[in-house]
Amino acid sequence: MAVPYSQTFVIEGRDFVHAGSASTEIKSILKSLGIDAVVVRRVAIAAYEAEMNVVMYAERATMTFSVTPEVVRMCVEDRGPGIADIALAMQEGWSTATHEMREMGFGAGMGLPNIRRNADEFSIRSEVGKGTRLDIVIHIN
Ligand SMILES: Nc1ncnc2c1ncn2[C@@H]1O[C@H](COP(=O)(O)OP(=O)(O)O)[C@@H](O)[C@H]1O
Ligand SMILES: [Mg+2]
């Protein structure tokens, strides 16, 4: 593997069996590229939270991941219900997770806030009834 690197993952909603596999693969790719451990950790957290949100709340998504000498970028674009109130969804502790999801340990309402905290650049756009798109950039160095 070498930089520049790019790969697209497909994430299926409700697929709790494979949930987390894209972010696990992203983490190992970054390690094999020799990326700084602090950067790898920030990317892994953001990727995992974005991936789990697709599994829990959306139907299907593509997660495009790329690495240049300067930055790691992820674009997660789903087809799903969308988010009516993004400001509310961004609040710490706010979650619409079901009882079943909470029993599996999800639904702390910290995913989107953690993505924003770990990203150097972050944008979220959503259209109700269509889907949601996250753009995440994390600088290397
Ligand atoms: N991709 C998505 N599609 C639809 N709704 C979403 C998506 N991601 C997040 N949400 C909504 O935003 C809320 C907050 O998300 P998050 O901060 O990750 O917390 P949690 O996943 O613990 O609920 C979710 O409960 C859900 O209502
Ligand atoms: Mg979440």
Side-chain angles (χ1 to χ4, degrees), residues 38-141:
V38 174
V39 173
V40 175
R41 187 177 150 72
R42 290 169 62 204
V43 174
I45 291 168
Y48 178 75
E49 295 294 352
E51 183 175 10
M52 289 315 303
N53 281 351
V54 172
V55 173
M56 290 196 287
Y57 306 114
E59 287 165 29
R60 197 168 205 260
T62 54
M63 181 171 202
T64 304
F65 156 76
S66 67
V67 189
T68 72
E70 292 82 27
V71 295
V72 178
R73 268 177 224 280
M74 292 182 285
C75 173
V76 185
E77 195 164 20
D78 73 50
R79 187 179 72 215
I83 301 174
D85 187 338
I86 289 176
L88 189 58
M90 290 303 306
Q91 277 182 26
E92 295 190 0
W94 194 81
S95 176
T96 61
T98 62
H99 179 70
E100 287 85 347
M101 291 169 186
R102 288 170 200 267
E103 285 200 320
M104 286 189 277
F106 302 110
M110 293 303 293
L112 291 174
N114 273 333
I115 295 170
R116 180 163 60 186
R117 184 173 310 120
N118 282 285
D120 291 303
E121 296 167 40
F122 172 65
S123 82
I124 176 167
R125 275 169 284 173
S126 192
E127 207 176 324
V128 172
K130 291 210 164 161
T132 302
R133 174 178 169 145
L134 306 185
D135 284 281
I136 298 161
V137 179
I138 292 170
H139 298 168
I140 299 170
N141 302 325

